[in-house]
Amino acid sequence: MKKLSSDRVNLRGWAPSDAPFVFDLYSRWDVQRYLGHEPRVMENPTQAEGLIERLRAVDDPALGYWAVEAADTGTLVGTVMLQGIGLSGTSSPSDQVEIGWHFHPDAWGRGYATDAARVALEHGFAAGLDSILAVAHADNFPSHRICRRLGMEDAGTTNAYYDAEYELFVAKKGRRSKPTTA
């Protein structure tokens, strides 16, 4: 997996030694509550190990799941991903790509998610993607703000993905909206 970075964040592949962080992240309801239409917290460290194994198995020049570290301390703060987005009514990802992020509450409000997502978007476009989507629950206002800071177009409400209703945001190569500071 290609390592990516900015002045504030380093994105790298997940390692088996990251399992304690992954378990801490995904065992928190405040992190899981917006993930899927039936969110559940991780219940044991073995689940974290299995998740890392699945994420490490992705071998694609554009897609991936990156561990995000604060560049100044090397501390893990979250994850960012580019993955096929699941169309409603199907069980497999489509050829459309979505960006997503999950960050530890200790890292919220510090700009790490925006920085990591910006790096991932740039990577996806450089790897040949023409558009990248983001979906967020209607009341997940922090993710809406990240999408806007990234300059993603607010495309309204959709039920086309994951058998649920989401707010849809779109970034297109070379045609991204002006980023906002809100």
Side-chain angles (χ1 to χ4, degrees):
M1 165 157 288
K2 183 177 179 180
K3 291 182 180 180
L4 308 169
S5 64
S6 74
D7 291 343
R8 298 195 65 235
V9 294
N10 296 317
L11 282 60
R12 61 165 175 80
W14 285 101
S17 60
D18 296 327
F21 175 81
V22 170
F23 179 65
D24 182 32
L25 179 67
Y26 291 112
S27 65
R28 295 171 177 266
W29 177 249
D30 46 353
V31 172
Q32 291 287 80
R33 68 184 172 154
Y34 293 123
L35 303 184
H37 56 281
E38 293 183 29
R40 293 183 309 211
V41 296
M42 199 172 269
E43 296 177 1
N44 63 65
T46 303
Q47 291 174 303
E49 294 164 2
L51 176 60
I52 289 171
E53 204 172 295
R54 289 188 304 278
L55 300 181
R56 290 171 54 90
V58 174
D59 183 21
D60 186 281
L63 308 183
Y65 301 87
W66 292 270
V68 180
E69 299 172 330
D72 58 347
T73 65
T75 303
L76 281 170
V77 293
T79 186
V80 67
M81 72 241 13
L82 291 173
Q83 64 185 8
I85 190 168
L87 292 173
S88 291
T90 68
S91 61
S92 58
S94 73
D95 59 352
Q96 296 174 301
V97 173
E98 75 169 317
I99 187 168
W101 47 83
H102 311 145
F103 278 74
H104 194 282
D106 291 347
W108 291 355
R110 297 180 182 199
Y112 293 128
T114 303
D115 287 348
R118 185 172 288 117
V119 170
L121 282 173
E122 290 169 1
H123 165 77
F125 291 136
L129 298 175
D130 291 323
S131 67
I132 300 172
L133 309 176
V135 293
H137 281 266
D139 57 348
N140 187 349
F141 302 114
S143 284
H144 299 181
R145 287 190 294 272
I146 290 169
C147 290
R148 289 185 183 102
R149 280 194 295 270
L150 293 168
M152 298 182 84
E153 174 191 342
D154 185 339
T157 304
T158 183
N159 60 3
Y161 307 103
Y162 299 119
D163 297 315
E165 187 170 282
Y166 293 100
E167 297 300 312
L168 176 64
F169 296 87
V170 181
K172 294 189 179 186
K173 185 176 186 173
R175 293 191 337 178
R176 293 192 5 224
S177 304
K178 182 180 176 188
T180 66
T181 56

